[in-house]
Amino acid sequence: MAADGVGRAAALLRDGALVAFPTETVYGLGADATDDVAVARIFEAKGRPRFNPLIVHVPSLDAAQRIGDFDADALRLALAFWPGPLTLVVPLRPDAGISPLVTAGLDTIALRVPDAALARRLLEATGRPVAAPSANPSGKVSPTRAEHVLAGLGGRIEAVLDGGPCGVGVESTIIGTVGGVTLLRPGGLTVEAVEGCLGHALKTRAESDAITAPGQLSSHYAPDAALRLNADTPEPGERYVGFGPDHPSDITLSASGDLVEAAARLFHLLRGLDAGDSAPIAIAPIPETGLGRAINDRLRRAAAPRG
Ligand code: TXA
Ligand code: MG
């Protein structure tokens, strides 16, 4: 539905329906986070493993603090970067009324205040916390346009609010704040920005740490064609995705080497490569700085052996 459908979309959410909506990162598949049946339908529609907990979206820090407990670090990050592409994992308040399916039984909760105007209006109008994973079938590329959502989930959800293409294009950065401030998933907010705000380095999640975190299953974000990363030149038969003036190609993440543009184009480009061609894909090297970290994370997952 068009952007002026916010009121109708909010009413649908309050009735337990599934409504996809745009955030500045990617489109989310929303449901009332206090409604067990609505939340269960998210997992069903996505074909998502139950153990993977969901992010809850709220319109303000105030609303977030009614659901989770914010220590000094969490508060500092929320004040600095909300609304924006940052998700904070904080202790869940037992009286918050959130469906246990949302947290997959964990005693922590992932919270986010998105910046996209349409998302904020929808959250205000709904008046309930909205659980929303990315609006794609489990294991597939995240949607950055309404038509991507319909291509993957059409017929399984009640509505998509169309806000045009997402500005950031990769998912939010997820920071854990329990037991030290920890990077759980690189994303649309750079690690450099987070560390600059805190004044110290982030911990990274130890491989042994079995927290059921982020699209961390290896074949997440996968397109159907095989992917080769860090390719200086294509092999015969490969389609080549360039980046920057040193690695030009007809298909490029950014001809000028701009990481912001590359992030915004990434998922749309991977989908375009999937459409009607199964030839393997080679991708130029992307620098591991700023948003490049999130781009490389998603590309590594996309290239991982399929499970
Ligand atoms: O940009 C985004 O973050 C988008 C938009 C829609 O907000 N959402 C998104 O959600 O990417 P999703 O479900 O695809 O990824 C959320 C990740 C999951 O992989 C999950 O494992 C992790 O957040 N997560 C959720 N709750 C958690 C918790 N309590 N502890 C650790 N990780 C958690
Ligand atoms: Mg996802």
Side-chain angles (χ1 to χ4, degrees), residues 21-28 54-61 63-64 67 70 81-90 109-116 119 123 129-130 132 166 168 170-174 185 188-189:
F21 64 98
T23 77
E24 70 278 22
T25 57
V26 299
Y27 275 72
L54 305 175
I55 298 174
V56 169
H57 299 66
V58 289
S60 65
L61 175 56
I67 299 173
F70 285 62
F81 300 114
W82 279 354
L86 168 69
T87 294
L88 291 169
V89 176
V90 300
I109 186 157
L111 291 167
R112 164 157 134 77
V113 178
D115 187 36
L123 294 171
V130 173
C166 300
V168 175
V170 290
E171 298 87 347
S172 61
T173 298
I174 305 182
R185 176 178 75 183
L189 177 67

Side-chain angles (χ1 to χ4, degrees), residues 22 39 78 90 102 110 116 124 152 171 206 224 226 229 245 259 291:
V39 174
V90 300
V102 168
E124 294 281 2
E171 298 87 347
D224 294 328
L229 309 184
L259 288 169
L291 287 177

Side-chain angles (χ1 to χ4, degrees), residues 46 48 133-136 140 142 171 185 215 220-221:
K46 283 183 61 94
R48 179 174 198 162
S134 50
N136 51 280
K140 294 293 181 183
S142 291
E171 298 87 347
R185 176 178 75 183
H220 215 70
Y221 309 102

Side-chain angles (χ1 to χ4, degrees), residues 59-125:
S60 65
L61 175 56
D62 264 6
Q65 287 184 297
R66 287 195 285 275
I67 299 173
D69 284 320
F70 285 62
D71 66 11
D73 285 327
L75 202 54
R76 176 186 284 220
L77 292 173
L79 288 169
F81 300 114
W82 279 354
L86 168 69
T87 294
L88 291 169
V89 176
V90 300
L92 172 67
R93 297 174 68 122
D95 59 351
I98 299 295
S99 165
L101 274 177
V102 168
T103 53
L106 297 172
D107 55 8
T108 54
I109 186 157
L111 291 167
R112 164 157 134 77
V113 178
D115 187 36
L118 207 49
R120 304 188 68 186
R121 282 170 51 211
L122 178 66
L123 294 171
E124 294 281 2

